[in-house]
């Protein structure tokens, strides 16, 4: 099963750019996870288990390193880069 996670990070500190860059680099270090960065969010796509393992590992590492952070995520049960199934309810 494929998964896409649209995830944003909001560090609760004045110098917020370094933690964001570090988290994105962490996501990029996971094999099998495609990372696309945008202005306000990052898209992670790949196999469900691999993407969820990357999210879990990087969230835990970030909380341990930086303390107070807010992650906001949307989980989509498909690779959003694949063609959309337009039949009612996906088939």
């Amino acid at each position: 099963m494929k998964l896409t996670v649209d995830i944003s990070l909001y560090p609760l500190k004045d110098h917020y750019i370094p933690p964001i860059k570090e988290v994105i680099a962490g996501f990029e270090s996971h094999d099998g996870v495609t990372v696309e960065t945008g202005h306000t969010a990052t898209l992670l796509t790949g196999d469900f288990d691999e993407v969820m393992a990357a999210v879990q590992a990087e969230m835990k590492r970030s909380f341990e390193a930086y303390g107070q952070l807010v992650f906001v995520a949307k989980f989509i049960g498909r690779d959003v880069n694949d063609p959309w199934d337009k039949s009612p309810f996906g088939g």
Side-chain angles (χ1 to χ4, degrees):
M1 173 183 200
K2 295 293 182 183
L3 179 68
T4 299
V5 178
D6 179 326
I7 192 164
S8 299
L9 171 61
Y10 302 96
L12 302 176
K13 50 183 72 240
D14 291 336
H15 302 287
Y16 57 89
I17 298 294
I20 293 171
K21 287 184 174 183
E22 193 172 310
V23 167
I24 292 170
F27 288 142
E28 291 172 335
S29 73
H30 290 266
D31 291 334
V33 178
T34 301
V35 179
E36 299 175 54
T37 58
H39 294 292
T40 60
T42 299
L43 283 181
L44 310 173
T45 56
D47 177 74
F48 183 93
D49 291 332
E50 292 172 348
V51 172
M52 290 302 291
V55 170
Q56 179 180 356
E58 297 311 316
M59 284 180 69
K60 182 177 181 180
R61 187 194 53 72
S62 298
F63 287 131
E64 290 172 346
Y66 295 104
Q68 296 183 10
L69 304 166
V70 175
F71 282 91
V72 176
K74 293 178 265 183
F75 296 85
I76 305 153
R78 61 183 293 272
D79 183 335
V80 297
N81 297 306
D82 290 343
W84 186 260
D85 182 353
K86 296 181 181 176
S87 59
F89 303 108

